[in-house]
Amino acid sequence: MDIDRSPDKQMRVDVWLWTTRMFKTRNLATQACRGGHVKVDGQRAKAAQKVGVGQEVRVRKAGTEFIWKITGFVPTRLQASIAVQCYEDLTPPPDPALRGFVPRRDKGLGRPTKKDRREMEKFLGDMAKPKDRNRRRS
């Protein structure tokens, strides 16, 4: 499949997002446009808005803003190796300082034993015990 890079070629923004595999379905791309999560050249885009080569598309998805510059079009959804040739990724790398600490148990330890739970209760005190919802209030 050839990529159409002609400057006069245009395509709907929701179709372009779907064909370049930014969204799993065209319906999800359309919903993102309706929800205001898609901007073309800084302006909020409707699903039927036409986009051309050289325009910048910004999509807010899963708490991250992605920025792409359109470099071409494919007529239908193709494999990812072809789809990546249709855009230039301008998304800045995530800030490593914003990554939070997630406590995890070592692999292979499984669930805590009764002894482990008792030690946690001893260390945490009342915070480790579940609240009794059936207790009557006086």
Side-chain angles (χ1 to χ4, degrees):
M1 253 305 121
D2 289 330
I3 298 171
D4 190 355
R5 298 183 192 279
S6 60
D8 57 333
K9 172 75 174 167
Q10 290 192 330
M11 183 182 277
R12 286 174 55 123
V13 69
D14 62 339
V15 174
W16 184 81
L17 289 167
W18 173 69
T19 58
T20 54
R21 299 180 161 268
M22 306 304 174
F23 288 93
K24 195 171 186 173
T25 64
R26 185 171 167 193
N27 187 30
L28 288 174
T30 304
Q31 287 177 358
C33 292
R34 285 189 189 141
H37 301 288
V38 178
K39 291 183 178 182
V40 175
D41 292 332
Q43 300 294 318
R44 194 171 159 179
K46 292 186 178 182
Q49 180 176 335
K50 301 284 187 183
V51 291
V53 173
Q55 287 188 297
E56 181 183 272
V57 178
R58 291 175 178 256
V59 176
R60 195 173 64 243
K61 188 163 87 167
T64 306
E65 185 174 56
F66 297 94
I67 307 166
W68 301 293
K69 183 178 180 183
I70 300 173
T71 59
F73 300 100
V74 287
T76 186
R77 189 174 170 100
L78 298 171
Q79 60 200 32
S81 60
I82 296 173
V84 296
Q85 298 173 20
C86 295
Y87 61 89
E88 181 183 336
D89 193 358
L90 304 174
T91 306
D95 186 10
L98 296 177
R99 298 182 108 179
F101 172 73
V102 179
R104 295 180 192 232
R105 290 178 56 87
D106 292 331
K107 279 194 169 195
L109 289 180
R111 294 179 55 188
T113 63
K114 192 166 188 175
K115 182 179 177 185
D116 292 337
R117 287 194 302 271
R118 285 184 179 147
E119 287 174 0
M120 283 189 278
E121 285 179 10
K122 186 188 242 182
F123 177 74
L124 295 173
D126 290 338
M127 291 177 16
K129 296 179 183 175
K131 304 266 187 237
D132 186 12
R133 295 178 187 223
N134 297 329
R135 194 181 81 194
R136 291 187 181 184
R137 297 179 188 211
S138 22

